[in-house]
Amino acid sequence: MPKPLEAVNDFVVKFANVNGSGSASANGLFAKSILRMGVPVAARNIFPSNIQGLPTWFEVRVTEAGRLGRRGGVDLMVAMNPQTWDRDVAEIEPGGYLFYDSTKPMPPSKFRADVGVVGVPLTAICNAAYSIPRERQLFKNIVYVGALSGLLGIEAAVLEQLLAEQFEGRERLIKTNVEALHMGRSHVDEHMSKLGLQVRRSSEVRDRIFVDGNTAAGLGAVYGGATVCAWYPITPSTSLAEAFTGFCEDYRTDPETGRARYAIVQAEDEIASIGMVVGAGWNGARAFTCTSGPGVSLMQEFIGLSYFAEIPAVIFDVQRGGPSTGMPTRTQQADLIGAAYASHGDTKHPMLLPADPGECFEMGTLAFDLADRLQTTVFVMLDLDIGMNEWLTEPFAWDEIRKLDRGTVMTFDELEAGRDFGRYLDVDGDGIPFRTYPGVHPTKGGYFTRGTSRNPYARYSEEGSVYVDNVQRLLRKFETAKGLVPAPVVRPARRPTRDGVIYYGSTTPSMHEALDALEAQGRDLDALRVRGFPFADEIEAFIAAHERVFVVEQNRDAQLRMLIVNECGVDPAKLVRVLHYDGTPITARFIAGAIGALMEGAHVADAAITEAAE
């Protein structure tokens, strides 16, 4: 028999519930109570796309060391769903704990001999206290939070304060929820001992904030000068538009007149939304839409117009499982190829690849500068894990003297002075022409905006040489973009190594933990995090400096690897695929195990390590 797990501020709790049972609020309360005690947590909600009835899970990693990726494995399972009981029990680490509703007896075959069983008669407690069935269900969630607080050493006063804040101004709800909390806590205090897993006050949270990436990106759009948002609801991007709306109501409403200084349109579909964004960008406004893979698929023609007519636009792509409807409430990094080369013909679009909500804010502002500077569509590639889950991140920083970069715009004075204006004329070799805003001058600076081929002065032409000159200039512009998108971040190994690893986005925290684990095993890797596309020259140099480079990503087809091979011209045999795509966020254990297995085989040149389910 394994010894019961003992740990302070370093363990994983997983809640197994039924969607629609009201558990999400209680589980969030549990996570935030630990944060209030100064202990960092990483919380992830894994939920189905239907409204009610299917299984849902909420995982809370208590991590004083600040490991914000998923670790893998569960130390305490809160099993509230009979449908998934066997699967949930199987996830528990040997020596871990199973918390369940013991109102009805369970046969011994339903338990594991190597797991500590903690039974609390939650249903019986609620039936004795409440007569209304819905109240029994809802307060059962608060009762189990109270019981867990007693078992794990979470301070009751912290939970009471959180409830007071959640139900501020509704004293009856505060009172009844606090009573339910103490029902569970009193039961375990009277009948049980504390678990070997304990929460103790710390100061490691510091001044960090707990926020989701969609909210951060929405605020970034405000700071980036966006005044137009046209969108169509789609999971998991909807909350980004809703966050932007809330921030605009607070910060973009004229305090004297009450008039909105912004335009937000919920369009009839994704095609209409991107059409409005492109129209607003043509008119000089900073505009964006937020969507996911299916929406990007519908927007293809307008994205091509933005590229060829050179009109600024920003698309926040909060990636989810695909193709088609796929797994709309699960996470993947599966839109890279679709976004990089969106639309028909020869197109290439800059992409920003944030790793956490802090970078969602930073890149959410930067995207609008880049769109104006490059006169094209810029993608910000979030995913469901970053977008919808709350992450602990440093407070957002903003330089008060920073000015918006509107790019090369010819002014009235320049036109009046007789400066030569050709809408698609490259005057300095960077591929970026001057544009004008509509109506800037009564007789000069006008041009015909078209999606057909034209010469540098915007005059229609299907002459082959004219077309070639134009699309070659667009390639020069894309080359210019290399120096404008965020540079990659290199993390060198402690010892010289012939192996490297490339990764990006929400994989980052788990990747960093996996690198530490591999280093402890004597396996050293230099690491490079990609933050933007087009790829900087440093990426090609990094690959050239290593005999073998693992590329870790969350999709089936190794899309980042595919892009690197296509854009950098490297030997595909040097790039080893490490892929995870079951819809759950990647774990440190998976990465370390996959790379470790590949490094064991010294002659492995190329392999795909995949995981169907954790």
Side-chain angles (χ1 to χ4, degrees):
M1 289 291 293
K3 181 181 178 182
L5 292 178
E6 294 185 1
V8 176
N9 294 350
D10 184 17
F11 54 89
V12 175
V13 181
K14 191 169 185 178
F15 297 82
N17 299 100
V18 176
N19 201 33
S21 63
S23 59
S25 177
N27 297 342
L29 178 72
F30 173 86
K32 290 175 182 177
S33 69
I34 299 171
L35 277 174
R36 285 290 179 91
M37 290 180 64
V39 183
V41 301
R44 284 174 170 83
N45 192 11
I46 302 170
F47 59 100
S49 57
N50 76 330
I51 296 174
Q52 189 165 346
L54 287 183
T56 184
W57 294 270
F58 189 81
E59 187 175 285
V60 179
R61 183 175 186 182
V62 182
T63 170
E64 187 165 13
R67 300 290 196 182
L68 300 182
R70 288 184 71 217
R71 183 197 73 186
V74 176
D75 301 315
L76 168 60
M77 177 65 72
V78 181
M80 295 289 112
N81 188 356
Q83 290 176 276
T84 60
W85 176 276
D86 292 338
R87 173 182 172 182
D88 297 330
V89 171
E91 282 193 64
I92 305 171
E93 298 281 284
Y97 304 89
L98 169 66
F99 178 101
Y100 79 109
D101 182 354
S102 61
T103 300
K104 293 182 178 180
M106 300 279 287
S109 61
K110 287 294 185 180
F111 300 101
R112 281 172 47 189
D114 62 344
V115 168
V117 177
V118 183
V120 176
L122 300 169
T123 299
I125 292 171
C126 291
N127 287 348
Y130 309 106
S131 58
I132 301 173
R134 184 58 176 164
E135 284 189 345
R136 288 174 174 175
Q137 175 59 58
L138 293 176
F139 285 116
K140 179 179 175 179
N141 301 320
I142 302 299
V143 171
Y144 74 60
V145 170
L148 290 169
S149 72
L151 292 167
L152 299 173
I154 300 171
E155 298 170 11
V158 170
L159 285 160
E160 290 171 1
Q161 179 62 34
L162 284 167
L163 288 169
E165 294 170 8
Q166 182 177 342
F167 298 111
E168 183 178 5
R170 293 175 285 177
E171 296 303 321
R172 188 184 69 82
L173 284 176
I174 296 173
K175 181 175 182 294
T176 53
N177 276 275
V178 168
E179 287 173 352
L181 181 80
H182 282 284
M183 287 180 199
R185 190 177 181 98
S186 297
H187 179 89
V188 300
D189 286 347
E190 293 171 12
H191 301 286
M192 299 177 180
S193 301
K194 292 185 183 296
L195 302 185
L197 310 175
Q198 288 293 295
V199 179
R200 290 182 190 163
R201 273 201 170 269
S202 178
S203 57
E204 290 304 312
V205 171
R206 303 191 304 278
D207 63 344
R208 286 182 285 181
I209 58 177
F210 200 49
V211 65
D212 63 87
N214 282 353
T215 297
L219 183 60
V222 172
Y223 275 76
T227 56
V228 176
C229 170
W231 64 290
Y232 184 77
I234 183 173
T235 302
S237 71
T238 295
S239 60
L240 198 161
E242 292 172 343
F244 180 75
T245 300
F247 290 130
C248 283
E249 290 171 349
D250 290 339
Y251 305 120
R252 287 255 162 86
T253 302
D254 189 297
E256 295 182 1
T257 65
R259 294 184 62 185
R261 296 183 291 192
Y262 56 90
I264 299 172
V265 182
Q266 182 176 322
E268 61 266 35
D269 54 36
E270 288 89 348
I271 300 172
S273 66
I274 188 62
M276 294 177 193
V277 167
V278 172
W282 175 85
N283 203 43
R286 289 195 155 186
F288 75 93
T289 189
C290 51
T291 188
S292 192
V296 174
S297 296
L298 288 168
M299 296 176 184
Q300 298 287 301
E301 190 168 0
F302 270 116
I303 295 171
L305 177 65
S306 166
Y307 177 79
F308 201 54
E310 298 180 68
I311 300 171
V314 172
I315 298 176
F316 291 93
D317 180 359
V318 190
Q319 299 167 89
R320 69 188 207 183
S324 189
T325 305
M327 296 189 293
T329 60
R330 301 296 168 90
T331 195
Q332 281 188 4
Q333 297 173 320
D335 292 352
L336 281 190
I337 296 295
Y341 303 129
S343 199
H344 55 279
D346 295 320
T347 57
K348 292 185 180 184
H349 311 290
M351 297 188 295
L352 307 181
L353 310 173
D356 54 41
E359 288 195 339
C360 289
F361 172 77
E362 294 168 12
M363 295 183 185
T365 65
L366 175 63
F368 294 93
D369 278 354
L370 291 180
D372 270 356
R373 180 81 176 270
L374 296 166
Q375 301 174 26
T376 195
T377 291
V378 173
F379 284 89
V380 185
M381 305 297 289
L382 293 77
D383 59 38
L384 185 146
D385 186 21
I386 298 177
M388 293 192 71
N389 287 319
E390 292 178 301
W391 291 44
L392 196 62
T393 189
E394 297 295 331
F396 303 149
W398 181 254
D399 184 352
E400 293 296 338
I401 65 172
R402 174 175 171 178
K403 295 182 179 179
L404 302 183
D405 182 354
R406 300 310 302 260
T408 51
V409 180
M410 199 167 287
T411 65
F412 172 89
D413 290 339
E414 289 171 319
L415 292 166
E416 185 71 9
R419 183 167 181 178
D420 184 31
F421 172 69
R423 174 62 185 94
Y424 301 107
L425 185 66
D426 185 5
V427 298
D428 54 10
D430 66 357
I432 305 173
F434 276 86
R435 64 176 174 142
T436 57
Y437 296 139
V440 66
H441 191 283
T443 60
K444 301 177 181 179
Y447 62 94
F448 193 91
T449 303
R450 63 175 83 243
T452 50
S453 181
R454 70 274 147 162
N455 70 13
Y457 290 89
R459 299 187 184 103
Y460 174 75
S461 173
E462 290 189 17
E463 186 176 339
S465 60
V466 171
Y467 174 81
V468 169
D469 285 345
N470 191 49
V471 294
Q472 285 299 117
R473 178 183 58 77
L474 290 172
L475 278 183
R476 291 198 301 275
K477 182 167 74 169
F478 200 68
E479 188 69 20
T480 298
K482 281 187 179 181
L484 300 177
V485 301
V489 176
V490 175
R491 171 176 161 156
R494 291 199 301 181
R495 293 177 288 266
T497 177
R498 298 175 300 174
D499 290 319
V501 62
I502 292 175
Y503 58 99
Y504 80 99
S506 63
T507 302
T508 299
S510 294
M511 185 74 245
H512 289 174
E513 184 175 359
L515 286 169
D516 290 342
L518 289 164
E519 186 179 84
Q521 299 166 13
R523 297 185 171 110
D524 298 294
L525 294 100
D526 294 324
L528 181 144
R529 177 164 71 91
V530 180
R531 298 200 300 155
F533 177 77
F535 297 132
D537 293 337
E538 294 96 313
I539 295 174
E540 189 172 348
F542 179 88
I543 295 169
H546 296 87
E547 292 183 9
R548 176 174 56 179
V549 177
F550 303 100
V551 184
V552 182
E553 47 187 318
Q554 298 182 67
N555 60 71
R556 186 197 68 182
D557 293 339
Q559 294 186 24
L560 177 60
R561 177 183 180 274
M562 198 184 307
L563 266 181
I564 292 171
V565 169
N566 193 50
E567 295 292 325
C568 300
V570 302
D571 180 1
K574 293 186 71 172
L575 302 181
V576 183
R577 296 165 289 172
V578 179
L579 309 175
H580 178 281
Y581 48 88
D582 70 355
T584 62
I586 197 168
T587 68
R589 286 185 182 179
F590 168 73
I591 297 171
I595 294 178
L598 285 164
M599 294 181 81
E600 283 285 341
H603 301 292
V604 173
D606 186 34
I609 296 292
T610 61
E611 182 176 54
E614 274 188 15

